[in-house]
Amino acid sequence: MTVQLGLPVLRKEVPRTSLLQAPPQRPAGQPSGLFDRFGRRATDMRLSVTDKCNLRCTYCMPAEGLEWLPQPAVITAAEIVRIVGIGVGHLGVRELRLTGGEPLVRGDLVEIVRALRGRHPDLPISMTTNAVGLDRKAQALKDAGLTRINVSLDSLHEETFAKITRRPYLNRVLAGVQAASAAGLGPVKINAVLMRGINDGEAAGLLAWALGSGHELRFIEQMPLDADHGWSRREMITAAEIRELLATEFVLSRDPGERDGAPAERFRVQRRNPLTEGTAGPVLGTVGIIASVTEPFCSDCRRTRITAEGTIMSCLFSRQEFDLLGLLRAGASDDELARRWEDAMWAKPKAHGREQTGLDADDFVQPDRTMSAIGG
Ligand code: SAM
Ligand code: SF4
Protein backbone atom coordinates (compact mmCIF):
# COMPACT_ATOMS: atom_id res chain seq x y z
CA MET A 1 0.00 0.00 0.00
CA THR A 2 1.39 3.44 -0.85
CA VAL A 3 0.31 6.40 1.16
CA GLN A 4 0.80 9.89 -0.12
CA LEU A 5 2.32 11.71 2.82
CA GLY A 6 2.66 15.03 1.07
CA LEU A 7 5.47 17.52 1.27
CA PRO A 8 6.05 19.72 4.28
CA VAL A 9 3.71 22.66 4.53
CA LEU A 10 4.02 24.72 1.38
CA ARG A 11 0.66 26.07 0.42
CA LYS A 12 -0.43 29.40 1.72
CA GLU A 13 -4.05 29.64 2.66
CA VAL A 14 -5.95 31.73 0.14
CA PRO A 15 -6.11 35.24 1.57
CA ARG A 16 -9.46 36.06 3.04
CA THR A 17 -10.90 38.83 0.98
CA SER A 18 -13.56 40.07 3.28
CA LEU A 19 -12.13 39.86 6.77
CA LEU A 20 -13.51 42.88 8.56
CA GLN A 21 -12.20 44.22 11.81
CA ALA A 22 -15.57 45.37 13.07
CA PRO A 23 -19.07 44.46 11.92
CA PRO A 24 -21.74 47.08 11.36
CA GLN A 25 -23.61 47.78 14.59
CA ARG A 26 -26.93 46.03 14.99
CA PRO A 27 -29.95 48.30 15.46
CA ALA A 28 -30.59 49.61 18.97
CA GLY A 29 -33.24 47.98 21.16
CA GLN A 30 -32.43 44.34 20.41
CA PRO A 31 -32.45 41.91 23.33
CA SER A 32 -29.15 40.66 24.68
CA GLY A 33 -28.00 37.47 22.91
CA LEU A 34 -26.68 36.23 19.58
CA PHE A 35 -29.72 37.05 17.45
CA ASP A 36 -29.69 37.67 13.71
CA ARG A 37 -31.86 39.61 11.26
CA PHE A 38 -33.93 36.52 10.50
CA GLY A 39 -35.06 35.77 14.04
CA ARG A 40 -32.60 32.99 14.77
CA ARG A 41 -30.64 32.86 18.02
CA ALA A 42 -27.26 31.14 18.28
CA THR A 43 -26.86 29.11 21.44
CA ASP A 44 -24.50 26.42 20.15
CA MET A 45 -20.85 27.50 20.09
CA ARG A 46 -18.12 25.83 18.01
CA LEU A 47 -14.66 26.86 19.04
CA SER A 48 -11.59 25.91 17.06
CA VAL A 49 -8.61 25.44 19.36
CA THR A 50 -6.07 25.03 16.54
CA ASP A 51 -5.77 25.18 12.78
CA LYS A 52 -3.16 22.39 12.74
CA CYS A 53 -3.91 18.80 11.86
CA ASN A 54 -2.05 15.50 11.62
CA LEU A 55 -4.26 14.09 8.82
CA ARG A 56 -4.81 15.42 5.32
CA CYS A 57 -8.38 14.39 4.47
CA THR A 58 -8.88 15.03 0.78
CA TYR A 59 -12.21 16.83 1.32
CA CYS A 60 -10.63 19.20 3.83
CA MET A 61 -6.89 19.79 3.39
CA PRO A 62 -4.38 19.72 0.57
CA ALA A 63 -1.73 16.94 0.64
CA GLU A 64 1.01 19.36 1.60
CA GLY A 65 -0.97 20.94 4.42
CA LEU A 66 -1.63 24.63 4.86
CA GLU A 67 0.57 27.33 6.25
CA TRP A 68 -0.23 27.12 9.96
CA LEU A 69 -0.97 30.23 11.95
CA PRO A 70 2.05 31.64 13.80
CA GLN A 71 1.83 30.61 17.45
CA PRO A 72 1.18 34.13 18.81
CA ALA A 73 -1.86 34.44 16.55
CA VAL A 74 -3.57 31.39 18.06
CA ILE A 75 -6.08 31.87 20.82
CA THR A 76 -4.55 31.00 24.23
CA ALA A 77 -6.13 28.87 26.93
CA ALA A 78 -6.90 31.93 29.06
CA GLU A 79 -8.49 33.68 26.06
CA ILE A 80 -10.60 30.64 25.31
CA VAL A 81 -11.83 30.57 28.88
CA ARG A 82 -12.68 34.27 28.80
CA ILE A 83 -14.51 34.11 25.47
CA VAL A 84 -16.53 31.04 26.46
CA GLY A 85 -17.36 32.80 29.73
CA ILE A 86 -18.78 35.76 27.80
CA GLY A 87 -20.74 33.46 25.51
CA VAL A 88 -22.26 31.53 28.38
CA GLY A 89 -22.54 34.32 30.94
CA HIS A 90 -23.71 37.21 28.72
CA LEU A 91 -25.06 35.82 25.49
CA GLY A 92 -27.01 32.64 26.13
CA VAL A 93 -24.58 30.02 24.80
CA ARG A 94 -25.84 26.68 26.10
CA GLU A 95 -23.55 24.17 24.41
CA LEU A 96 -19.87 24.13 23.47
CA ARG A 97 -18.04 21.99 20.92
CA LEU A 98 -14.24 22.10 20.73
CA THR A 99 -12.92 21.48 17.25
CA GLY A 100 -10.11 22.37 14.85
CA GLY A 101 -7.93 21.52 12.89
CA GLU A 102 -7.30 18.63 15.20
CA PRO A 103 -7.91 19.55 18.85
CA LEU A 104 -5.74 16.68 20.14
CA VAL A 105 -2.59 18.23 18.68
CA ARG A 106 -2.94 21.07 21.16
CA GLY A 107 -0.70 20.30 24.16
CA ASP A 108 -2.84 22.14 26.72
CA LEU A 109 -6.18 20.64 25.65
CA VAL A 110 -6.82 18.81 28.92
CA GLU A 111 -6.07 21.99 30.90
CA ILE A 112 -8.45 23.97 28.68
CA VAL A 113 -11.26 21.48 29.32
CA ARG A 114 -10.53 21.47 33.05
CA ALA A 115 -10.60 25.27 33.22
CA LEU A 116 -13.85 25.46 31.24
CA ARG A 117 -15.48 22.80 33.39
CA GLY A 118 -14.37 24.59 36.57
CA ARG A 119 -16.25 27.71 35.47
CA HIS A 120 -19.24 26.03 33.84
CA PRO A 121 -20.20 22.94 35.84
CA ASP A 122 -23.35 22.26 33.80
CA LEU A 123 -22.27 23.21 30.28
CA PRO A 124 -22.28 20.34 27.77
CA ILE A 125 -18.71 20.37 26.38
CA SER A 126 -18.05 18.02 23.48
CA MET A 127 -15.20 17.68 21.02
CA THR A 128 -14.86 16.68 17.37
CA THR A 129 -11.64 14.79 16.70
CA ASN A 130 -9.97 12.44 14.27
CA ALA A 131 -9.05 10.33 17.34
CA VAL A 132 -5.37 9.90 16.45
CA GLY A 133 -3.76 9.74 19.90
CA LEU A 134 -7.10 9.72 21.70
CA ASP A 135 -6.29 6.35 23.29
CA ARG A 136 -3.72 8.13 25.46
CA LYS A 137 -5.85 11.16 26.30
CA ALA A 138 -9.45 9.95 26.57
CA GLN A 139 -9.43 9.26 30.30
CA ALA A 140 -7.68 12.54 31.13
CA LEU A 141 -10.22 14.43 29.02
CA LYS A 142 -13.10 12.68 30.76
CA ASP A 143 -11.59 13.39 34.18
CA ALA A 144 -11.09 17.04 33.21
CA GLY A 145 -14.81 17.31 32.46
CA LEU A 146 -15.35 16.64 28.76
CA THR A 147 -18.94 15.47 28.26
CA ARG A 148 -18.85 13.62 24.96
CA ILE A 149 -16.87 13.00 21.81
CA ASN A 150 -17.44 12.94 18.03
CA VAL A 151 -14.94 10.99 15.95
CA SER A 152 -14.52 11.37 12.20
CA LEU A 153 -14.08 8.02 10.51
CA ASP A 154 -14.91 7.44 6.86
CA SER A 155 -13.66 3.91 6.30
CA LEU A 156 -12.94 0.69 8.17
CA HIS A 157 -10.55 -0.50 5.46
CA GLU A 158 -6.92 0.40 5.93
CA GLU A 159 -6.27 1.25 2.30
CA THR A 160 -9.35 3.33 1.85
CA PHE A 161 -8.77 5.11 5.14
CA ALA A 162 -5.21 5.93 4.08
CA LYS A 163 -6.38 7.09 0.67
CA ILE A 164 -8.90 9.49 2.19
CA THR A 165 -6.77 10.82 5.05
CA ARG A 166 -3.38 10.42 3.31
CA ARG A 167 -2.11 8.80 6.53
CA PRO A 168 -1.99 5.09 7.55
CA TYR A 169 -3.56 5.57 10.96
CA LEU A 170 -6.78 3.52 10.94
CA ASN A 171 -5.72 1.36 13.88
CA ARG A 172 -4.83 4.39 15.95
CA VAL A 173 -8.26 5.87 15.27
CA LEU A 174 -10.02 2.64 16.22
CA ALA A 175 -7.98 2.48 19.44
CA GLY A 176 -9.03 6.06 20.16
CA VAL A 177 -12.71 5.29 19.65
CA GLN A 178 -12.48 2.31 21.97
CA ALA A 179 -10.65 4.32 24.63
CA ALA A 180 -13.28 7.09 24.45
CA SER A 181 -16.07 4.56 25.04
CA ALA A 182 -14.15 2.93 27.89
CA ALA A 183 -13.52 6.31 29.51
CA GLY A 184 -17.24 7.11 29.54
CA LEU A 185 -17.17 9.67 26.72
CA GLY A 186 -19.87 7.79 24.85
CA PRO A 187 -22.04 7.20 23.13
CA VAL A 188 -19.32 8.15 20.68
CA LYS A 189 -20.75 9.84 17.61
CA ILE A 190 -19.00 8.78 14.43
CA ASN A 191 -19.00 11.30 11.55
CA ALA A 192 -18.56 9.84 8.08
CA VAL A 193 -18.31 11.60 4.72
CA LEU A 194 -19.02 9.39 1.70
CA MET A 195 -17.28 9.92 -1.61
CA ARG A 196 -18.26 8.35 -4.90
CA GLY A 197 -16.12 5.43 -5.93
CA ILE A 198 -14.02 5.69 -2.80
CA ASN A 199 -16.00 4.70 0.28
CA ASP A 200 -19.67 4.83 -0.80
CA GLY A 201 -19.65 1.02 -0.83
CA GLU A 202 -19.05 1.10 2.92
CA ALA A 203 -22.23 2.91 3.98
CA ALA A 204 -24.05 -0.17 5.28
CA GLY A 205 -20.86 -1.71 6.69
CA LEU A 206 -20.07 1.43 8.69
CA LEU A 207 -23.60 1.40 10.08
CA ALA A 208 -23.42 -2.29 11.03
CA TRP A 209 -20.11 -1.67 12.79
CA ALA A 210 -21.41 1.40 14.66
CA LEU A 211 -24.59 -0.36 15.79
CA GLY A 212 -22.61 -3.39 16.92
CA SER A 213 -20.15 -1.26 18.88
CA GLY A 214 -22.66 1.03 20.57
CA HIS A 215 -21.65 4.15 18.59
CA GLU A 216 -23.99 6.61 16.89
CA LEU A 217 -23.20 7.03 13.22
CA ARG A 218 -23.92 10.23 11.28
CA PHE A 219 -23.28 10.68 7.61
CA ILE A 220 -22.38 14.20 6.51
CA GLU A 221 -22.88 15.29 2.91
CA GLN A 222 -19.59 16.47 1.50
CA MET A 223 -19.52 20.26 1.37
CA PRO A 224 -17.46 22.58 -0.85
CA LEU A 225 -14.90 23.39 1.83
CA ASP A 226 -11.83 21.59 0.48
CA ALA A 227 -8.58 23.40 -0.26
CA ASP A 228 -8.32 21.90 -3.73
CA HIS A 229 -11.75 23.16 -4.80
CA GLY A 230 -12.42 19.65 -6.11
CA TRP A 231 -16.00 19.42 -4.83
CA SER A 232 -18.66 18.88 -7.44
CA ARG A 233 -22.39 18.98 -6.86
CA ARG A 234 -22.86 16.29 -9.51
CA GLU A 235 -20.31 13.94 -7.96
CA MET A 236 -21.22 14.29 -4.29
CA ILE A 237 -23.20 11.56 -2.54
CA THR A 238 -26.53 13.05 -1.53
CA ALA A 239 -28.59 12.27 1.55
CA ALA A 240 -31.14 10.53 -0.67
CA GLU A 241 -28.40 8.26 -2.04
CA ILE A 242 -27.12 7.54 1.46
CA ARG A 243 -30.61 6.37 2.45
CA GLU A 244 -30.68 4.13 -0.64
CA LEU A 245 -27.24 2.69 0.12
CA LEU A 246 -28.33 1.87 3.67
CA ALA A 247 -31.59 0.37 2.44
CA THR A 248 -29.69 -2.55 0.90
CA GLU A 249 -29.32 -3.97 4.41
CA PHE A 250 -31.49 -1.91 6.72
CA VAL A 251 -34.96 -0.44 6.99
CA LEU A 252 -34.90 3.18 8.13
CA SER A 253 -37.87 4.95 9.67
CA ARG A 254 -37.82 8.62 10.62
CA ASP A 255 -37.26 9.12 14.33
CA PRO A 256 -40.38 10.95 15.53
CA GLY A 257 -38.41 12.79 18.26
CA GLU A 258 -37.97 16.59 18.13
CA ARG A 259 -35.08 17.63 15.85
CA ASP A 260 -34.64 20.73 18.01
CA GLY A 261 -32.13 22.54 15.81
CA ALA A 262 -29.93 19.46 15.32
CA PRO A 263 -28.37 19.32 11.85
CA ALA A 264 -28.80 15.55 11.58
CA GLU A 265 -32.09 13.99 10.57
CA ARG A 266 -32.32 10.82 12.64
CA PHE A 267 -33.66 7.47 11.56
CA ARG A 268 -34.43 4.33 13.52
CA VAL A 269 -32.69 1.30 12.08
CA GLN A 270 -33.89 -2.28 11.71
CA ARG A 271 -32.41 -5.12 9.69
CA ARG A 272 -33.98 -5.73 6.29
CA ASN A 273 -35.34 -9.21 5.79
CA PRO A 274 -33.98 -10.20 2.36
CA LEU A 275 -36.77 -12.73 1.78
CA THR A 276 -39.77 -10.56 2.52
CA GLU A 277 -38.09 -7.16 1.90
CA GLY A 278 -39.70 -6.15 5.20
CA THR A 279 -38.12 -5.49 8.55
CA ALA A 280 -36.60 -8.19 10.66
CA GLY A 281 -36.16 -7.91 14.39
CA PRO A 282 -36.00 -5.04 16.81
CA VAL A 283 -34.82 -1.45 16.42
CA LEU A 284 -31.05 -1.71 16.57
CA GLY A 285 -30.33 1.96 17.11
CA THR A 286 -30.37 5.17 15.09
CA VAL A 287 -28.43 6.77 12.27
CA GLY A 288 -28.22 10.47 11.45
CA ILE A 289 -27.85 12.09 8.05
CA ILE A 290 -26.66 15.68 7.78
CA ALA A 291 -27.87 16.98 4.44
CA SER A 292 -26.12 20.34 4.48
CA VAL A 293 -26.14 20.58 0.69
CA THR A 294 -29.35 19.01 -0.55
CA GLU A 295 -31.68 19.64 2.39
CA PRO A 296 -30.14 22.62 4.19
CA PHE A 297 -31.37 23.49 7.66
CA CYS A 298 -30.23 27.12 7.68
CA SER A 299 -33.60 28.45 8.85
CA ASP A 300 -33.12 26.66 12.17
CA CYS A 301 -29.36 27.19 12.53
CA ARG A 302 -28.20 27.87 16.09
CA ARG A 303 -24.42 27.98 15.51
CA THR A 304 -21.85 30.60 16.29
CA ARG A 305 -18.20 29.87 15.49
CA ILE A 306 -14.92 31.17 16.84
CA THR A 307 -11.85 30.33 14.76
CA ALA A 308 -8.42 29.47 16.18
CA GLU A 309 -7.33 33.05 15.53
CA GLY A 310 -10.29 34.38 17.45
CA THR A 311 -12.54 35.63 14.68
CA ILE A 312 -16.31 35.25 14.77
CA MET A 313 -17.92 33.33 11.91
CA SER A 314 -21.69 33.20 11.85
CA CYS A 315 -21.80 30.51 9.15
CA LEU A 316 -19.43 27.87 7.75
CA PHE A 317 -19.89 29.38 4.32
CA SER A 318 -19.57 32.98 5.31
CA ARG A 319 -17.00 35.04 3.47
CA GLN A 320 -17.10 37.58 6.26
CA GLU A 321 -15.61 37.16 9.68
CA PHE A 322 -15.04 39.59 12.48
CA ASP A 323 -12.14 39.97 14.85
CA LEU A 324 -12.87 39.27 18.51
CA LEU A 325 -9.41 38.32 19.76
CA GLY A 326 -7.78 41.55 18.56
CA LEU A 327 -10.34 43.52 20.52
CA LEU A 328 -9.78 41.34 23.58
CA ARG A 329 -6.01 41.78 23.34
CA ALA A 330 -6.48 45.53 23.00
CA GLY A 331 -8.02 45.52 26.48
CA ALA A 332 -11.77 45.50 25.74
CA SER A 333 -14.20 44.81 28.57
CA ASP A 334 -16.51 41.78 28.61
CA ASP A 335 -19.40 44.07 27.65
CA GLU A 336 -17.53 45.43 24.65
CA LEU A 337 -16.63 41.93 23.52
CA ALA A 338 -20.22 40.79 23.93
CA ARG A 339 -21.44 43.75 21.79
CA ARG A 340 -18.92 42.86 19.04
CA TRP A 341 -20.13 39.26 19.05
CA GLU A 342 -23.77 40.35 18.90
CA ASP A 343 -23.06 42.72 16.00
CA ALA A 344 -21.20 39.96 14.12
CA MET A 345 -24.07 37.50 14.55
CA TRP A 346 -26.65 40.10 13.53
CA ALA A 347 -24.95 40.11 10.12
CA LYS A 348 -25.38 36.34 9.76
CA PRO A 349 -26.55 35.55 6.21
CA LYS A 350 -29.86 33.88 5.60
CA ALA A 351 -28.44 30.69 4.14
CA HIS A 352 -25.02 29.14 3.61
CA GLY A 353 -23.13 32.36 3.51
CA ARG A 354 -25.48 33.99 1.01
CA GLU A 355 -28.90 35.57 0.86
CA GLN A 356 -30.44 32.89 -1.34
CA THR A 357 -31.30 29.40 -0.26
CA GLY A 358 -28.09 27.44 -0.19
CA LEU A 359 -25.27 25.73 -1.98
CA ASP A 360 -27.40 25.19 -5.05
CA ALA A 361 -28.17 28.90 -5.28
CA ASP A 362 -26.86 30.93 -8.19
CA ASP A 363 -24.97 33.27 -5.90
CA PHE A 364 -23.07 30.57 -3.99
CA VAL A 365 -19.32 31.20 -3.88
CA GLN A 366 -17.01 28.74 -2.14
CA PRO A 367 -15.39 30.40 0.87
CA ASP A 368 -11.63 30.92 0.89
CA ARG A 369 -11.15 29.05 4.13
CA THR A 370 -11.11 25.27 4.30
CA MET A 371 -13.12 23.32 6.87
CA SER A 372 -9.97 22.76 8.96
CA ALA A 373 -9.22 26.48 9.04
CA ILE A 374 -12.76 27.39 10.10
CA GLY A 375 -13.33 24.69 12.68
CA GLY A 376 -15.87 22.12 11.52
N1 SAM B 1 -10.05 17.18 12.89
C1 SAM B 1 -11.27 16.93 13.54
C2 SAM B 1 -12.06 15.87 12.83
O1 SAM B 1 -11.75 15.55 11.69
O2 SAM B 1 -13.01 15.37 13.42
C3 SAM B 1 -12.12 18.16 13.75
C4 SAM B 1 -12.19 19.14 12.66
S1 SAM B 1 -12.96 18.57 11.17
C5 SAM B 1 -12.86 20.00 10.16
C6 SAM B 1 -14.67 18.47 11.68
C7 SAM B 1 -15.57 17.68 10.81
O3 SAM B 1 -15.68 18.30 9.56
C8 SAM B 1 -15.14 16.25 10.55
O4 SAM B 1 -16.16 15.38 10.94
C9 SAM B 1 -14.94 16.19 9.05
O5 SAM B 1 -15.31 14.96 8.51
C10 SAM B 1 -15.85 17.30 8.59
N2 SAM B 1 -15.49 17.85 7.28
C11 SAM B 1 -14.31 18.38 6.90
N3 SAM B 1 -14.37 18.80 5.63
C12 SAM B 1 -15.62 18.54 5.19
C13 SAM B 1 -16.31 18.74 3.95
N4 SAM B 1 -15.72 19.30 2.92
N5 SAM B 1 -17.59 18.35 3.89
C14 SAM B 1 -18.21 17.77 4.95
N6 SAM B 1 -17.63 17.56 6.13
C15 SAM B 1 -16.35 17.93 6.26
FE1 SF4 C 1 -7.81 17.15 9.76
FE2 SF4 C 1 -10.33 16.88 10.52
FE3 SF4 C 1 -9.71 18.16 8.23
FE4 SF4 C 1 -9.36 15.55 8.38
S1 SF4 C 1 -11.33 16.63 8.54
S2 SF4 C 1 -7.89 17.04 7.57
S3 SF4 C 1 -8.78 15.27 10.47
S4 SF4 C 1 -9.22 18.82 10.28
Side-chain angles (χ1 to χ4, degrees), residues 22 26 32 153 172 191 205 244 266 277 300 311 318 326 330 340:
R26 68 179 192 167
S32 164
L153 176 59
R172 296 176 68 182
N191 293 348
E244 278 171 29
R266 281 159 61 103
E277 288 299 313
D300 202 20
T311 59
S318 181
R340 165 72 58 94

Side-chain angles (χ1 to χ4, degrees), residues 53 57 59-60 99-103 128-130 150-152 154 191-193 220-226 231 371-372 375-376:
C53 188
C57 304
Y59 48 73
C60 181
T99 181
E102 175 45 48
T128 303
T129 172
N130 63 32
N150 285 28
V151 172
S152 307
D154 307 317
N191 293 348
V193 175
I220 308 176
E221 279 183 343
Q222 187 186 351
M223 294 178 272
L225 289 169
D226 57 314
W231 181 89
M371 189 70 140
S372 66

Side-chain angles (χ1 to χ4, degrees), residues 9-330:
V9 177
L10 290 176
R11 183 185 304 218
K12 268 197 184 304
E13 199 184 325
V14 187
R16 279 163 287 136
T17 46
S18 47
L19 182 122
L20 298 183
Q21 292 301 306
Q25 279 185 2
R26 68 179 192 167
Q30 304 301 326
S32 164
L34 300 174
F35 292 93
D36 67 36
R37 295 164 295 155
F38 305 98
R40 297 168 297 190
R41 182 178 191 179
T43 53
D44 176 358
M45 175 176 177
R46 299 276 161 112
L47 182 122
S48 172
V49 297
T50 180
D51 60 325
K52 290 188 186 145
C53 188
N54 43 10
L55 300 187
R56 297 285 182 275
C57 304
T58 52
Y59 48 73
C60 181
M61 282 231 193
E64 70 274 20
L66 295 165
E67 185 171 299
W68 309 130
L69 289 170
Q71 193 53 37
V74 176
I75 191 165
T76 66
E79 289 163 346
I80 289 174
V81 171
R82 177 147 178 230
I83 288 175
V84 172
I86 294 167
V88 174
H90 296 240
L91 297 172
V93 166
R94 290 203 289 261
E95 222 178 298
L96 174 67
R97 169 91 55 89
L98 303 177
T99 181
E102 175 45 48
L104 290 171
V105 303
R106 191 158 167 153
D108 56 356
L109 182 68
V110 172
E111 285 69 41
I112 291 172
V113 172
R114 188 176 297 116
L116 290 170
R117 176 57 69 219
R119 281 162 188 74
H120 309 287
D122 301 321
L123 182 69
I125 306 175
S126 59
M127 180 172 88
T128 303
T129 172
N130 63 32
V132 175
L134 183 59
D135 53 337
R136 284 178 278 110
K137 292 200 181 151
Q139 192 61 57
L141 285 165
K142 172 70 183 175
D143 295 345
L146 192 69
T147 315
R148 214 185 36 72
I149 224 151
N150 285 28
V151 172
S152 307
L153 176 59
D154 307 317
S155 174
L156 294 168
H157 294 291
E158 265 179 56
E159 275 196 35
T160 311
F161 178 93
K163 191 170 175 185
I164 295 171
T165 63
R166 302 184 176 110
R167 295 290 184 273
Y169 296 160
L170 174 62
N171 287 337
R172 296 176 68 182
V173 172
L174 292 175
V177 172
Q178 213 176 359
S181 289
L185 288 167
V188 177
K189 287 192 181 169
I190 305 288
N191 293 348
V193 175
L194 293 181
M195 282 162 290
R196 197 173 302 286
I198 297 175
N199 63 340
D200 49 339
E202 281 193 63
L206 277 164
L207 180 54
W209 168 78
L211 292 169
S213 317
H215 312 315
E216 272 183 39
L217 180 64
R218 299 161 353 139
F219 291 99
I220 308 176
E221 279 183 343
Q222 187 186 351
M223 294 178 272
L225 289 169
D226 57 314
D228 297 324
H229 288 233
W231 181 89
S232 135
R233 173 69 179 81
R234 232 171 352 104
E235 275 303 304
M236 62 161 285
I237 306 276
T238 64
E241 279 179 89
I242 295 168
R243 292 191 290 265
E244 278 171 29
L245 289 166
L246 296 176
T248 55
E249 290 187 31
F250 299 100
V251 175
L252 306 187
S253 44
R254 271 202 176 76
D255 190 330
E258 259 306 300
R259 193 156 164 182
D260 198 25
E265 177 158 32
R266 281 159 61 103
F267 298 87
R268 291 181 177 167
V269 184
Q270 288 169 282
R271 277 260 166 223
R272 175 175 295 285
N273 182 332
L275 298 177
T276 64
E277 288 299 313
T279 58
V283 173
L284 302 169
T286 58
V287 64
I289 301 181
I290 303 182
S292 324
V293 178
T294 60
E295 298 156 28
F297 34 86
C298 302
S299 61
D300 202 20
C301 178
R302 301 179 193 179
R303 295 275 137 72
T304 182
R305 294 174 189 275
I306 305 288
T307 66
E309 60 198 305
T311 59
I312 305 160
M313 284 188 84
S314 59
C315 171
L316 267 180
F317 294 95
S318 181
R319 292 171 63 81
Q320 279 194 323
E321 52 194 274
F322 300 104
D323 185 24
L324 191 62
L325 190 55
L327 193 64
L328 184 156
R329 289 183 177 177

